[in-house]
Amino acid sequence: MKNTPIIDHFYMPAEWHPHHCCWMGWPSRAESWPFELTRVHASYITIVQAIAHFESVKIIVLPEDLEETTQLCGKYAELVSLPLDDSWLRDTGPTFVIDGQGRIAGINWQFNAWGEKRESLFNYQRDAVLAQHLLAYNQIHCYMAPFILEGGAICVDGEGTVLTSEECLLDPNRNPNLSRREMETLLQHFIGISKVIWLGQGLQDDETSGHIDNLACFVRPGVVMALTCNDSQDSNYAALQDNLHRLRCATDAKGRQLEIIEIEQPAPREDKNKLRLPLSYLNFYIANGGIIMPTFADPADDLAIVTFTQAFPNHQIVPLNILDLIYGGGGIHCLTQQQPSV
């Protein structure tokens, strides 16, 4: 396989690696939410403000929205005018890779709107090339991946291990011609890992079809935080119990048995179509010295904050109620994409 990051000695660093900045995308598609965009923008700006306290924020915005965005959050972020369709930069922006010697590059994954979940509703052609435009704007080399993947589908420990899910990466609507072994080989070549830990199914009605950033994440090498469910009558119970079992049986690229931090999911809530919202405390952002974590005005919020405080003792925990944003299909992690420092 030619012209892949691993051949050029690049790898994907863990999300706690120091950041140069955080990339985001301004919400401009009114059809993505069941209420007015002004309400969406209010919640979005709280995230921008929180991250800006710890590191630089750069927001991609459509030319026609530039004046409004400047007034609303120009003092917290640098605005970059590029074409985009939606605001989920974790999935449509580039995944950055570094070589540890001062070089940085980016990966443009192929994108088809989460296995064409939104194809019938929305156009996504600008999002499909957004990573290329962002990297060209920054004069950063772009690797073109020959397969479909979104940034929210993978989580790495920076030491050779990646977490992902079968439902997502082996989705026939994404990569119908790739086997599990072939997918593992591609991940090795593009993000520099040697071990894949496969979880199974994602949350009920999650239109990403099992993104890992709602299920489990590395807190540090050898330590994983996992969403759990203790109610056997809950529709997420079987999938989350299976994922927990897989984590307990897994070892990482260094041969370590994983330490698992369990965090109970919030209570079920539905959207106007009676679909369950993908509520997860794991859809958070690690900033330089801060953790921007979601809350949902739920009784489980307080315990979740305690869990994060104990899991990240060297970070300031910033809880934000982002329930409004969830109605658009994603959370804090989905809206952000870190650019690592080199």
Side-chain angles (χ1 to χ4, degrees), residues 296-315:
F296 308 102
D298 186 275
D301 288 351
D302 290 342
L303 182 56
I305 294 170
V306 171
T307 302
F308 270 81
T309 302
Q310 294 172 344
F312 295 96
N314 298 319
H315 289 73

Side-chain angles (χ1 to χ4, degrees), residues 22 41 53 97 108 112 120 145 181 188 201 215 251 270 317:
C22 172
H41 291 159
H53 180 74
V97 289
N108 180 91
N112 72 342
S120 61
R181 182 177 296 275
Q188 177 185 356
Q201 299 294 301
L215 303 175
T251 55
E270 296 180 340
I317 309 300

Side-chain angles (χ1 to χ4, degrees), residues 160-269:
T161 313
V162 63
L163 288 168
T164 190
S165 78
E166 295 169 346
E167 181 184 4
C168 184
L169 261 61
L170 304 182
D171 180 1
N173 290 328
R174 285 179 168 92
N175 300 292
N177 299 318
L178 291 179
S179 68
R180 178 194 298 255
R181 182 177 296 275
E182 289 169 332
M183 179 59 73
E184 291 181 347
T185 299
L186 286 167
L187 291 173
Q188 177 185 356
H189 276 269
F190 277 86
I191 59 175
I193 55 87
S194 58
K195 177 68 178 286
V196 181
I197 297 177
W198 291 96
L199 300 192
Q201 299 294 301
L203 301 180
Q204 178 191 358
D205 298 331
D206 181 358
E207 64 183 348
T208 69
S209 301
H211 268 195
I212 200 69
D213 60 6
N214 279 332
L215 303 175
C217 66
F218 284 106
V219 169
R220 53 189 173 273
V223 183
V224 171
M225 186 180 289
L227 194 70
T228 57
C229 174
N230 294 313
D231 179 3
S232 62
Q233 303 304 308
D234 190 285
S235 56
N236 284 330
Y237 177 80
L240 294 182
Q241 286 295 314
D242 175 62
N243 289 337
L244 188 60
H245 174 73
R246 292 176 185 229
L247 290 170
R248 286 171 175 162
C249 295
T251 55
D252 64 14
K254 302 289 187 182
R256 292 172 293 214
Q257 199 80 28
L258 299 176
E259 176 188 340
I260 303 169
I261 301 171
E262 299 183 31
I263 189 162
E264 181 77 9
Q265 68 172 357
R269 295 192 188 179

Side-chain angles (χ1 to χ4, degrees), residues 36-114:
E36 65 280 359
L37 276 179
T38 53
R39 180 169 158 184
V40 176
H41 291 159
S43 292
Y44 182 93
I45 291 169
T46 64
I47 298 175
V48 175
Q49 291 173 323
I51 297 174
H53 180 74
F54 300 99
E55 63 193 43
S56 298
V57 179
K58 298 184 180 183
I59 301 176
I60 296 176
V61 57
L62 291 169
E64 58 265 33
D65 294 330
L66 189 57
E67 182 177 352
E68 176 193 19
T69 312
T70 300
Q71 294 175 352
L72 291 173
C73 57
K75 62 182 177 181
Y76 308 112
E78 176 186 340
L79 306 181
V80 177
S81 181
L82 291 173
L84 80 164
D85 294 307
D86 221 327
S87 49
W88 311 112
L89 259 289
R90 177 65 53 176
D91 297 337
T92 58
T95 293
F96 290 97
V97 289
I98 60 175
D99 69 349
Q101 303 296 321
R103 294 191 302 163
I104 187 170
I107 303 168
N108 180 91
W109 309 110
Q110 293 186 24
F111 179 73
N112 72 342
W114 303 279

